[in-house]
Amino acid sequence: MTSTRSTDHSTPPESPSHAPSRAVRGLLSVVIPCHNEQEVIEATHARLAEVLPRSGMDFEVLYVDDGSRDQTLARLEAIAARDARVQVIELARNFGQQAAMSAGLAAAHGDAIVITDADLQDPPEVILEMVRRWQDGVDVAYGRRRSRDGETRFKLLTASLFHRMFARLVPYPMPVDTGDFKLIDRAVADAVVALPEKRRYLRSLVPWAGFRHEPVWYDRHARLAGQTKYSPWKLLKLAADALILSSDAPVRLTWVATAGLALVGGAAAAVATGSWWMSAAGTGREPTIAAITAVACLVGAVQTAAVAVVGEYVVRGYRESQGRPTWVVRRTIGGGRAAARPSAKAA
Ligand code: UDP
Ligand code: MG
């Protein structure tokens, strides 16, 4: 069923692939996390049902309902009732997008698996190009955004800065200007699903696994309908999670702050000693209360920040040690295409 798989972990992203071509047939899984997407979900499925047959592959679509409180689940049930290629995984509550995507990935049977959002921001037609790249031997064909409609200037700027900073801080090659929209080979999915860690940030776990990555450039559209599920605060929490789960840099940065403070302190001591010596003992200017308070607050803030950074790692370590699952499934509706083709299930 599946084709040849590359396991070259040393190849950086965007390197040309020389792996032999994969079989044209096979099963394509599309994983879609959904949280309160009643306005778009029907349109999304209609577009996918129109586009995916053009891939030349059999396909299944796995919608993961992540604790929606609107009509999303009812609409997904209706879609699954009339389309045997659809499976709906209903999570027991809202576990978050990362958990929802992970649940879909774990349930997917495909030789290749696409992850995409429910809101048609990522045009399904791009999946066809991703499939072609995969058939040519690429293991991860990730959507790289040429442009992004419907986002504020502030979000574009902060996202771009964060992506670039993040790529410098993680200790493995990390693509920029990309999100969750990507196609990954079964071998990559197996490597990621097998990881024991509970708290997951898939955007960095997939590059962590290695394999052959290639960008597929595309223009990201505005959301078809509905609202983003990410407030600035939720985005900030996601960014903190991303950084702390993927990099030791925050702890290392506290050393930089320590060195910076030591340098400032040393310079201040030299100036104070010099001015005392130049102006005869005792006649130099005394430090003001405000200056002392400023220094004490600065030192205190850096120390508190260092403790807080360590605390962030400790909390995450504690959560991992509790061993709670990343998500809980309440119900699964429909078998997806794989149910009709048990042979498609990867060993
Ligand atoms: N989503 C989810 N659980 C959540 C939040 C979001 O499954 O707790 C889904 C959402 O339905 C969408 C995808 O994750 O399919 C991305 O969310 P959204 O489009 O709101 O993010 P944005 O594109 O604005 O960053
Ligand atoms: Mg979106």
Coordinates of all heavy atoms in Angstrom, one line a residue, residues 37 117-122 151 155 220-221 223 227-230, ligand 2:
E37 N -17.4 25.7 14.9 CA -17.2 26.0 13.5 C -18.5 25.8 12.7 O -18.5 25.4 11.5 CB -16.1 25.2 12.8 CG -14.7 25.4 13.4 CD -14.1 26.7 13.1 OE1 -14.8 27.6 12.5 OE2 -12.9 26.9 13.4
D117 N -7.0 23.4 8.9 CA -8.1 24.0 9.7 C -9.5 23.9 9.1 O -9.6 23.5 7.9 CB -7.8 25.5 9.9 CG -6.6 25.8 10.8 OD1 -6.0 24.9 11.3 OD2 -6.2 27.0 10.9
A118 N -10.5 24.1 9.9 CA -11.8 23.9 9.5 C -12.4 25.1 8.7 O -13.5 25.1 8.1 CB -12.7 23.7 10.7
D119 N -11.6 26.3 8.7 CA -12.3 27.5 8.2 C -11.9 27.9 6.8 O -12.2 29.0 6.4 CB -11.9 28.6 9.2 CG -10.4 28.7 9.3 OD1 -9.6 28.1 8.5 OD2 -9.9 29.4 10.2
L120 N -11.3 27.0 6.0 CA -10.9 27.2 4.6 C -9.9 28.4 4.4 O -9.8 28.9 3.4 CB -12.2 27.5 3.7 CG -13.1 26.3 3.5 CD1 -14.3 26.7 2.6 CD2 -12.3 25.1 2.8
Q121 N -9.2 28.7 5.5 CA -8.1 29.7 5.3 C -7.0 29.1 4.5 O -6.3 29.8 3.7 CB -7.5 30.1 6.7 CG -8.4 31.1 7.4 CD -7.6 31.7 8.6 OE1 -7.5 31.0 9.6 NE2 -7.1 32.9 8.4
D122 N -6.8 27.8 4.6 CA -5.9 27.1 3.8 C -6.6 26.4 2.6 O -7.4 25.4 2.9 CB -5.1 26.0 4.6 CG -4.5 26.6 5.9 OD1 -3.9 27.7 5.8 OD2 -4.7 26.0 7.0
E151 N -5.8 39.2 8.3 CA -5.1 39.3 9.6 C -4.7 40.8 9.8 O -4.4 41.5 8.9 CB -3.8 38.4 9.6 CG -4.0 37.0 9.3 CD -4.7 36.2 10.4 OE1 -5.2 36.8 11.3 OE2 -4.7 34.9 10.3
K155 N -0.9 41.3 14.1 CA -0.7 39.8 14.1 C 0.4 39.4 13.1 O 1.2 38.5 13.4 CB -2.0 39.1 13.9 CG -1.9 37.6 13.9 CD -3.2 36.9 14.2 CE -2.9 35.4 14.2 NZ -4.1 34.6 14.1
R220 N -2.6 32.5 1.9 CA -3.6 32.1 2.9 C -4.8 33.1 2.9 O -4.6 34.3 2.8 CB -2.9 32.2 4.3 CG -3.8 31.5 5.3 CD -3.0 31.2 6.6 NE -3.6 30.0 7.3 CZ -4.1 30.1 8.5 NH1 -4.1 31.2 9.2 NH2 -4.7 29.0 9.0
H221 N -6.0 32.6 2.8 CA -7.2 33.4 2.7 C -7.7 33.9 4.1 O -7.2 33.4 5.1 CB -8.3 32.6 2.0 CG -7.9 32.2 0.6 ND1 -8.7 31.4 -0.1 CD2 -6.9 32.6 -0.2 CE1 -8.1 31.3 -1.3 NE2 -7.0 32.0 -1.4
R223 N -10.6 33.8 6.9 CA -11.6 32.9 7.4 C -12.9 33.0 6.6 O -13.4 34.1 6.4 CB -11.9 33.2 8.8 CG -12.3 32.1 9.7 CD -12.4 32.6 11.1 NE -11.9 31.6 12.0 CZ -12.5 30.5 12.2 NH1 -13.7 30.3 11.8 NH2 -11.9 29.5 13.0
Q227 N -15.5 33.4 13.8 CA -14.4 34.1 14.4 C -13.2 33.2 14.7 O -13.3 32.0 14.9 CB -14.9 34.7 15.8 CG -16.1 35.5 15.7 CD -15.8 36.9 15.0 OE1 -14.7 37.4 15.2 NE2 -16.7 37.4 14.3
T228 N -12.0 33.9 14.8 CA -10.8 33.1 15.2 C -11.1 32.6 16.7 O -11.8 33.3 17.4 CB -9.6 34.0 15.2 OG1 -8.5 33.2 15.7 CG2 -9.7 35.3 16.0
K229 N -10.5 31.5 17.0 CA -10.7 31.0 18.3 C -9.5 31.4 19.2 O -9.4 30.9 20.4 CB -10.8 29.4 18.3 CG -11.8 28.9 17.3 CD -13.2 29.3 17.6 CE -14.2 28.9 16.6 NZ -14.3 29.7 15.4
Y230 N -8.6 32.2 18.7 CA -7.5 32.6 19.4 C -7.5 34.1 19.8 O -7.3 35.0 18.9 CB -6.2 32.3 18.7 CG -5.9 30.8 18.7 CD1 -6.4 30.0 17.7 CD2 -5.2 30.3 19.7 CE1 -6.1 28.6 17.7 CE2 -4.9 28.9 19.8 CZ -5.4 28.1 18.8 OH -5.2 26.7 18.8
Ligands
MG2 MG -8.2 29.8 11.1

